[in-house]
PDB file of all heavy atoms in Angstrom:
ATOM      1  N   ALA A 285      -8.096   5.255  -1.534  1.00 98.00           N
ATOM      2  CA  ALA A 285      -7.500   3.849  -1.564  1.00 98.00           C
ATOM      3  C   ALA A 285      -6.155   3.807  -0.861  1.00 98.00           C
ATOM      4  O   ALA A 285      -5.902   2.858  -0.056  1.00 98.00           O
ATOM      5  CB  ALA A 285      -7.244   3.390  -2.970  1.00 98.00           C
ATOM      6  N   GLU A 286      -5.283   4.771  -1.067  1.00 98.00           N
ATOM      7  CA  GLU A 286      -4.054   4.808  -0.411  1.00 98.00           C
ATOM      8  C   GLU A 286      -4.226   4.907   1.051  1.00 98.00           C
ATOM      9  O   GLU A 286      -3.509   4.379   1.988  1.00 98.00           O
ATOM     10  CB  GLU A 286      -3.160   5.934  -0.782  1.00 98.00           C
ATOM     11  CG  GLU A 286      -2.735   5.861  -2.296  1.00 98.00           C
ATOM     12  CD  GLU A 286      -1.891   4.701  -2.793  1.00 98.00           C
ATOM     13  OE1 GLU A 286      -1.282   4.104  -1.850  1.00 98.00           O
ATOM     14  OE2 GLU A 286      -1.823   4.462  -3.925  1.00 98.00           O
ATOM     15  N   SER A 289      -5.319   1.826   2.572  1.00 98.00           N
ATOM     16  CA  SER A 289      -4.149   0.799   2.661  1.00 98.00           C
ATOM     17  C   SER A 289      -3.381   1.106   3.982  1.00 98.00           C
ATOM     18  O   SER A 289      -3.025   0.159   4.716  1.00 98.00           O
ATOM     19  CB  SER A 289      -3.130   1.082   1.450  1.00 98.00           C
ATOM     20  OG  SER A 289      -3.713   0.810   0.257  1.00 98.00           O
ATOM     21  N   TYR A 293      -3.092  -1.550   6.939  1.00 98.00           N
ATOM     22  CA  TYR A 293      -1.710  -2.015   7.446  1.00 98.00           C
ATOM     23  C   TYR A 293      -1.573  -1.646   8.884  1.00 98.00           C
ATOM     24  O   TYR A 293      -0.912  -2.356   9.677  1.00 98.00           O
ATOM     25  CB  TYR A 293      -0.613  -1.423   6.663  1.00 98.00           C
ATOM     26  CG  TYR A 293      -0.462  -1.966   5.174  1.00 98.00           C
ATOM     27  CD1 TYR A 293      -0.012  -1.342   4.095  1.00 98.00           C
ATOM     28  CD2 TYR A 293      -1.035  -3.289   5.017  1.00 98.00           C
ATOM     29  CE1 TYR A 293      -0.027  -1.924   2.748  1.00 98.00           C
ATOM     30  CE2 TYR A 293      -0.971  -3.842   3.619  1.00 98.00           C
ATOM     31  CZ  TYR A 293      -0.477  -3.139   2.655  1.00 98.00           C
ATOM     32  OH  TYR A 293      -0.533  -3.596   1.398  1.00 98.00           O
ATOM     33  N   GLN A 315       4.974   0.064   6.574  1.00 97.00           N
ATOM     34  CA  GLN A 315       4.035   0.071   5.431  1.00 97.00           C
ATOM     35  C   GLN A 315       2.995   1.178   5.453  1.00 97.00           C
ATOM     36  O   GLN A 315       2.713   1.818   4.498  1.00 97.00           O
ATOM     37  CB  GLN A 315       3.362  -1.272   5.265  1.00 97.00           C
ATOM     38  CG  GLN A 315       4.195  -2.491   4.984  1.00 97.00           C
ATOM     39  CD  GLN A 315       4.694  -2.458   3.549  1.00 97.00           C
ATOM     40  OE1 GLN A 315       5.789  -2.447   3.205  1.00 97.00           O
ATOM     41  NE2 GLN A 315       3.740  -2.475   2.575  1.00 97.00           N
ATOM     42  N   GLU A 318       4.495   4.523   4.524  1.00 98.00           N
ATOM     43  CA  GLU A 318       4.665   4.576   3.090  1.00 98.00           C
ATOM     44  C   GLU A 318       3.314   4.904   2.412  1.00 98.00           C
ATOM     45  O   GLU A 318       3.307   5.693   1.416  1.00 98.00           O
ATOM     46  CB  GLU A 318       5.133   3.218   2.520  1.00 98.00           C
ATOM     47  CG  GLU A 318       6.621   3.100   2.586  1.00 98.00           C
ATOM     48  CD  GLU A 318       7.218   1.974   1.779  1.00 98.00           C
ATOM     49  OE1 GLU A 318       6.523   1.546   0.747  1.00 98.00           O
ATOM     50  OE2 GLU A 318       8.237   1.417   2.201  1.00 98.00           O
ATOM     51  N   GLU A 319       2.296   4.268   2.871  1.00 98.00           N
ATOM     52  CA  GLU A 319       0.956   4.545   2.355  1.00 98.00           C
ATOM     53  C   GLU A 319       0.502   5.910   2.441  1.00 98.00           C
ATOM     54  O   GLU A 319      -0.119   6.553   1.500  1.00 98.00           O
ATOM     55  CB  GLU A 319      -0.079   3.533   2.753  1.00 98.00           C
ATOM     56  CG  GLU A 319       0.115   2.065   2.489  1.00 98.00           C
ATOM     57  CD  GLU A 319       0.403   1.806   0.976  1.00 98.00           C
ATOM     58  OE1 GLU A 319       0.052   2.637   0.237  1.00 98.00           O
ATOM     59  OE2 GLU A 319       0.964   0.651   0.718  1.00 98.00           O
ATOM     60  N   HIS A 322       2.311   7.928  -0.129  1.00 98.00           N
ATOM     61  CA  HIS A 322       1.690   7.771  -1.396  1.00 98.00           C
ATOM     62  C   HIS A 322       0.391   8.638  -1.539  1.00 98.00           C
ATOM     63  O   HIS A 322       0.146   9.271  -2.476  1.00 98.00           O
ATOM     64  CB  HIS A 322       1.281   6.243  -1.670  1.00 98.00           C
ATOM     65  CG  HIS A 322       2.335   5.296  -1.700  1.00 98.00           C
ATOM     66  ND1 HIS A 322       2.179   3.912  -1.743  1.00 98.00           N
ATOM     67  CD2 HIS A 322       3.670   5.467  -1.738  1.00 98.00           C
ATOM     68  CE1 HIS A 322       3.278   3.359  -1.717  1.00 98.00           C
ATOM     69  NE2 HIS A 322       4.172   4.222  -1.839  1.00 98.00           N
ATOM     70  N   HIS A 362      -3.368  -7.501  -1.582  1.00 98.00           N
ATOM     71  CA  HIS A 362      -3.784  -6.064  -1.640  1.00 98.00           C
ATOM     72  C   HIS A 362      -2.887  -5.256  -2.514  1.00 98.00           C
ATOM     73  O   HIS A 362      -3.315  -4.336  -3.279  1.00 98.00           O
ATOM     74  CB  HIS A 362      -3.727  -5.537  -0.234  1.00 98.00           C
ATOM     75  CG  HIS A 362      -4.193  -4.135  -0.075  1.00 98.00           C
ATOM     76  ND1 HIS A 362      -5.612  -3.806  -0.326  1.00 98.00           N
ATOM     77  CD2 HIS A 362      -3.598  -3.022   0.044  1.00 98.00           C
ATOM     78  CE1 HIS A 362      -5.741  -2.487  -0.206  1.00 98.00           C
ATOM     79  NE2 HIS A 362      -4.690  -1.896  -0.049  1.00 98.00           N
ATOM     80  N   GLU A 363      -1.551  -5.507  -2.474  1.00 98.00           N
ATOM     81  CA  GLU A 363      -0.632  -4.774  -3.413  1.00 98.00           C
ATOM     82  C   GLU A 363      -0.950  -5.044  -4.818  1.00 98.00           C
ATOM     83  O   GLU A 363      -0.801  -4.157  -5.701  1.00 98.00           O
ATOM     84  CB  GLU A 363       0.746  -5.059  -2.956  1.00 98.00           C
ATOM     85  CG  GLU A 363       1.139  -4.419  -1.687  1.00 98.00           C
ATOM     86  CD  GLU A 363       0.974  -2.855  -1.570  1.00 98.00           C
ATOM     87  OE1 GLU A 363       1.033  -2.279  -2.672  1.00 98.00           O
ATOM     88  OE2 GLU A 363       0.772  -2.357  -0.559  1.00 98.00           O
ATOM     89  N   VAL A 366      -3.852  -2.983  -5.748  1.00 98.00           N
ATOM     90  CA  VAL A 366      -3.484  -1.462  -5.841  1.00 98.00           C
ATOM     91  C   VAL A 366      -2.815  -1.270  -7.197  1.00 98.00           C
ATOM     92  O   VAL A 366      -2.940  -0.300  -7.854  1.00 98.00           O
ATOM     93  CB  VAL A 366      -2.516  -1.066  -4.686  1.00 98.00           C
ATOM     94  CG1 VAL A 366      -2.058   0.247  -4.928  1.00 98.00           C
ATOM     95  CG2 VAL A 366      -3.399  -0.935  -3.375  1.00 98.00           C
ATOM     96  N   TYR A 392       4.443   5.764  -9.495  1.00 98.00           N
ATOM     97  CA  TYR A 392       3.594   4.784  -8.795  1.00 98.00           C
ATOM     98  C   TYR A 392       3.876   3.387  -9.407  1.00 98.00           C
ATOM     99  O   TYR A 392       3.719   2.353  -8.778  1.00 98.00           O
ATOM    100  CB  TYR A 392       2.218   5.212  -8.728  1.00 98.00           C
ATOM    101  CG  TYR A 392       1.930   6.383  -7.745  1.00 98.00           C
ATOM    102  CD1 TYR A 392       2.153   7.748  -8.131  1.00 98.00           C
ATOM    103  CD2 TYR A 392       1.561   6.079  -6.400  1.00 98.00           C
ATOM    104  CE1 TYR A 392       1.931   8.739  -7.174  1.00 98.00           C
ATOM    105  CE2 TYR A 392       1.360   7.125  -5.505  1.00 98.00           C
ATOM    106  CZ  TYR A 392       1.516   8.416  -5.966  1.00 98.00           C
ATOM    107  OH  TYR A 392       1.320   9.493  -5.001  1.00 98.00           O
ATOM    108  N   GLU A 395       6.952   2.032  -8.133  1.00 97.00           N
ATOM    109  CA  GLU A 395       6.840   1.826  -6.721  1.00 97.00           C
ATOM    110  C   GLU A 395       5.987   0.567  -6.479  1.00 97.00           C
ATOM    111  O   GLU A 395       6.330  -0.293  -5.622  1.00 97.00           O
ATOM    112  CB  GLU A 395       6.097   3.019  -5.983  1.00 97.00           C
ATOM    113  CG  GLU A 395       5.747   2.889  -4.599  1.00 97.00           C
ATOM    114  CD  GLU A 395       6.993   2.902  -3.694  1.00 97.00           C
ATOM    115  OE1 GLU A 395       8.068   3.181  -4.161  1.00 97.00           O
ATOM    116  OE2 GLU A 395       6.739   2.884  -2.460  1.00 97.00           O
ATOM    117  N   GLN A 396       4.953   0.389  -7.378  1.00 98.00           N
ATOM    118  CA  GLN A 396       4.212  -0.967  -7.154  1.00 98.00           C
ATOM    119  C   GLN A 396       5.083  -2.190  -7.386  1.00 98.00           C
ATOM    120  O   GLN A 396       4.797  -3.274  -6.893  1.00 98.00           O
ATOM    121  CB  GLN A 396       2.981  -0.997  -8.021  1.00 98.00           C
ATOM    122  CG  GLN A 396       1.801  -0.102  -7.442  1.00 98.00           C
ATOM    123  CD  GLN A 396       1.568  -0.394  -5.998  1.00 98.00           C
ATOM    124  OE1 GLN A 396       1.631   0.537  -5.085  1.00 98.00           O
ATOM    125  NE2 GLN A 396       1.173  -1.579  -5.744  1.00 98.00           N
ATOM    126  N   GLU A 399       6.768  -2.704  -4.183  1.00 96.00           N
ATOM    127  CA  GLU A 399       5.810  -3.136  -3.201  1.00 96.00           C
ATOM    128  C   GLU A 399       5.330  -4.554  -3.354  1.00 96.00           C
ATOM    129  O   GLU A 399       5.286  -5.404  -2.412  1.00 96.00           O
ATOM    130  CB  GLU A 399       4.519  -2.254  -3.272  1.00 96.00           C
ATOM    131  CG  GLU A 399       4.651  -0.862  -2.926  1.00 96.00           C
ATOM    132  CD  GLU A 399       4.691  -0.574  -1.388  1.00 96.00           C
ATOM    133  OE1 GLU A 399       5.514  -0.728  -0.740  1.00 96.00           O
ATOM    134  OE2 GLU A 399       3.485  -0.172  -0.907  1.00 96.00           O
TER     135      GLU A 399
HETATM  136 FE1  OFO B 253       0.381   2.629  -2.074  1.00 63.42          FE
HETATM  137  O1  OFO B 253       1.133   0.989  -2.476  1.00 63.42           O
HETATM  138 FE2  OFO B 253       0.711  -0.122  -1.193  1.00 63.42          FE
HETATM  139  O2  OFO B 253      -0.972  -0.112  -1.178  1.00 63.42           O
END
Side-chain angles (χ1 to χ4, degrees):
E286 300 291 345
S289 299
Y293 290 153
Q315 291 288 121
E318 273 191 31
E319 299 306 343
H322 296 170
H362 184 70
E363 287 305 330
V366 171
Y392 285 89
E395 177 74 0
Q396 282 310 119
E399 293 274 84

